[in-house]
Amino acid sequence: MIVDKHSKEIKVKVLYWGPTGSGKTTNLVHLSRFGRIEPTLMLDRSGSTVYFDLVILEENWHDYRIVYTIFASCGQDYYAPLRKLIIEKTDFVVFVLDSKRSRLEENIDSFNELITLIGKDVPIIIQANKRDLEDKLSIEEIRANIGDNYSIIEAIAVDGVGVTETFSTVRDSVKPMLSSLLESKENL
């Protein structure tokens, strides 16, 4: 997080991460409706993200303006080197899990790559997307395979279900971190 006490602005980088086709871009398209700036989407002919997608949302908090720069990483394996660049200086991660049972291994691989690149110091929440599918993983199966110490929010991003709830969870989690950060800066 970057705090500029002179301009009273706080910049927070949020990264939506997950396997290809899990719904990261769909989340950002829905979130962009709450912003003042059009989303930046870099898609190939098939509609897959090429490098990253970007949405910027802002809100006032105490005497500050918080600017959330929200990225969606590309999920395809051949873009793995680019994901290493996108993940740098991330403050918060939303792991977008594809609930389809047949995608379990892809979810596990993507999550393990995330943990390898970012470590355990950056907060992560899980959005279990595509909950409308009949052959979906149960929340218990997700916890057993990904980890049980993460908040899980159920979503059907294509319909906008769970999208704002997911981002609200990010916002609610970031604010205590910001309070601590501002208190520590005041004591310097």
Side-chain angles (χ1 to χ4, degrees), residues 63-75:
D63 294 336
Y64 287 86
R65 185 174 62 126
I66 303 174
V67 179
Y68 296 95
T69 305
I70 308 164
F71 290 85
S73 67
C74 45

Side-chain angles (χ1 to χ4, degrees), residues 61-104:
W61 178 73
H62 297 294
D63 294 336
Y64 287 86
R65 185 174 62 126
I66 303 174
V67 179
Y68 296 95
T69 305
I70 308 164
F71 290 85
S73 67
C74 45
Q76 301 87 339
D77 288 339
Y78 48 88
Y79 288 126
L82 297 175
R83 287 195 294 272
K84 291 178 185 176
L85 297 173
I86 296 166
I87 204 166
E88 288 182 16
K89 298 185 181 181
T90 293
D91 299 308
F92 207 98
V93 176
V94 174
F95 181 77
V96 182
L97 179 135
D98 189 327
S99 291
K100 191 173 186 179
R101 185 171 301 284
S102 63
R103 305 255 350 248
L104 177 60

